[in-house]
Amino acid sequence: MRERAKPDGLVAQLRRPPGGRDGRTMLWTLFVDRTGTGVWAAVCVLYFTELDGLTAARVGLLLGASSVAGIAGTPLAGRLAASYGVRRVLIGCHLLRVAALTAVLGCSAFTPLLLLVALATLGDRAARAMEMLYATEVAGERRSAYRALSRTAMNAGYAAGAGVAALGLAVGTAAAYRALVGVDVASFLVAAALVATLREPERAGSGAGSGTGSGSGPVAERPAAHASPRPNPWRDAGYLRFVALDAVLTIDDAILNVGLPLWLIHSTRAPHALVPAFLAVNTVVVVLAQLRVSALVGTARQAVRVVPLYGFAVLGCCAAAALAQRTGAAAASALLLVAAVLVTLAELVRSVVSWELSVALAPERARPEYLGVAGMAHSTEKAAGPLLLTGAVLVAGPLGWLTLGAATTAAAYAQRHYGAGRLALTR
């Protein structure tokens, strides 16, 4: 009987995820979506340079500006979800990406491309906020476990997308590049179709203003919804403080994808061929450790206690990267691989802690708007993180790495102190 009480393995949980049929369908949606995203990530730079003839500087401006535009996607989607429902808004996000990237196929001028890629990125960031909100509602108290399963689906999708892109890039023709963008477009169409089969989740306190048209909201809660205005995240200084700190505590993404590769190439003796290993290490560690890490965070109070682990993991990563500059090729390679493992562990902690606290610290009846604002943390890091790494940390060398690690650890402790205080007031 004890054996039966043990937690299910990864495969068993993927078959029977929190949320039942809708939870499982959303996992498939995540896989399909990230497959297309993986294709786009691999092909976009070459597509713009080879087919549209853009310079490297213009491609950088195009992608950077689109990242800034993406910051607006999450709060906008949260606001719309409060009125029209998560399901409808998520379908709209996928269709916006379909329209924008289809138009990219027929466009080569820089200014229209800038607008189209910005719209696609806005739809991407908005979709991620809606995925988070939907999973939060259907998984309920098991949202941390669902977060681990969703990361499995997403990583599998990224890997599948990278594999598809590798086949197309090996062909290397203009038709192959366009076909890869077509695969990306098709993935979003399939994702929209999958979302259309989902049921709109019932939210406590949604009231008559949910606008979902389902008519399933509890009648007893509707008068309460009119008794006082819905909380506004933009007027909630405490929640905005949480989001600002959360933006700092997503720096692992820029470290893994920008900081470590550039540091290896320009400042260490490690072979350049090691760069792809960072992604491989990230994928393996995520698959092996994500369920174990998510088990540490079952409640908001546990999430608060775990936050400093993120800071320590990033600090260790930064220390290993700093040491790699003054060693030989073999030692530098080992240190950078250790750094990749540590920053991936930080990512795992961040993924479950950030989600748990963004939900727990938000008023339940205004959860769409609050989670939309919370999603700005990752969008902001996507835009600012690479600039911080390339413009400050890498320029300062080992001292820059150590400063980044120390600052991140301090931010983690600040988040722990703030989160504990807010939970004490709201529980």
Side-chain angles (χ1 to χ4, degrees):
M1 295 300 290
R2 292 266 181 195
E3 293 296 322
R4 293 178 182 273
K6 288 183 179 180
D8 290 336
L10 176 60
V11 174
Q13 290 195 50
L14 285 171
R15 290 175 177 170
R16 298 184 298 275
R21 182 190 71 85
D22 287 337
R24 187 165 47 251
T25 301
M26 180 54 72
L27 291 176
W28 277 109
T29 303
L30 294 175
F31 171 78
V32 171
D33 180 325
R34 299 313 190 268
T35 298
T37 301
V39 171
W40 176 252
V43 76
C44 66
V45 172
L46 287 173
Y47 181 91
F48 292 134
T49 54
E50 298 295 326
L51 271 67
D52 294 331
L54 300 184
T55 64
R58 285 205 157 190
V59 172
L61 177 59
L62 186 75
L63 298 179
S66 67
S67 295
V68 173
I71 296 174
T74 54
L76 176 61
R79 183 63 182 168
L80 291 173
S83 299
Y84 301 104
V86 181
R87 175 176 162 274
R88 292 179 182 177
V89 175
L90 183 52
I91 292 172
C93 292
H94 289 313
L95 295 181
L96 174 62
R97 298 154 88 188
V98 167
L101 290 177
T102 300
V104 164
L105 288 169
C107 180
S108 59
F110 178 72
T111 301
L113 279 175
L114 184 64
L115 175 61
L116 292 171
V117 175
L119 285 174
T121 305
L122 186 145
D124 174 77
R125 303 313 307 173
R128 295 188 183 209
M130 293 300 95
E131 292 163 356
M132 175 182 173
L133 178 57
Y134 191 89
T136 296
E137 299 297 345
V138 299
E141 294 301 318
R142 297 184 63 199
R143 54 181 175 261
S144 293
Y146 192 89
R147 176 61 171 168
L149 298 178
S150 69
R151 287 184 55 75
T152 298
M154 289 187 287
N155 276 276
Y158 285 130
V164 171
L167 295 175
L169 294 176
V171 176
T173 63
Y177 288 137
R178 291 192 176 93
L180 289 175
V181 177
V183 170
D184 193 21
V185 171
S187 74
F188 299 141
L189 278 173
V190 174
L194 287 171
V195 175
T197 68
L198 299 174
R199 294 168 293 182
E200 182 69 29
E202 294 184 14
R203 271 187 298 110
S206 59
S210 64
T212 63
S214 65
S216 59
V219 175
E221 290 179 345
R222 299 192 181 193
H226 293 287
S228 61
R230 291 171 67 89
N232 185 340
W234 297 107
R235 296 178 182 176
D236 189 337
Y239 198 81
L240 293 177
R241 188 183 304 116
F242 159 76
V243 174
L245 287 169
D246 202 39
V248 177
L249 301 179
T250 56
I251 194 62
D252 58 273
D253 184 73
I255 290 175
L256 179 69
N257 295 308
V258 178
L260 291 181
L262 291 179
W263 184 248
L264 181 150
I265 292 170
H266 296 294
S267 301
T268 76
R269 297 176 184 176
H272 293 185
L274 189 66
V275 169
F278 294 151
L279 180 59
V281 167
N282 178 263
T283 301
V284 170
V285 173
V286 166
V287 171
L288 293 178
Q290 59 189 349
L291 285 177
R292 291 179 175 87
V293 173
S294 67
L296 299 175
V297 182
T299 67
R301 296 190 185 282
Q302 290 174 340
V304 165
R305 288 195 293 269
V306 167
V307 170
L309 293 181
Y310 180 90
F312 289 131
V314 171
L315 179 59
C317 165
C318 292
L323 289 173
Q325 186 187 46
R326 300 184 181 277
T327 61
S333 298
L335 285 167
L336 289 172
L337 289 175
V338 168
V341 170
L342 288 172
V343 80
T344 301
L345 292 175
E347 174 192 341
L348 294 176
V349 172
R350 180 257 301 167
S351 66
V352 293
V353 167
S354 175
W355 192 354
E356 182 65 34
L357 289 181
S358 62
V359 173
L361 301 181
E364 191 171 16
R365 66 193 184 98
R367 188 174 284 168
E369 299 97 313
Y370 271 74
L371 292 188
V373 171
M376 292 177 62
H378 197 201
S379 300
T380 301
E381 186 278 333
K382 282 285 187 183
L387 296 177
L388 173 65
L389 266 295
T390 58
V393 174
L394 299 185
V395 173
L399 180 60
W401 281 107
L402 294 175
T403 301
L404 175 64
T408 304
T409 304
Y413 270 99
Q415 188 75 293
R416 176 182 181 177
H417 175 75
Y418 163 69
R422 177 142 174 153
L423 284 175
L425 294 174
T426 58
R427 298 301 175 93

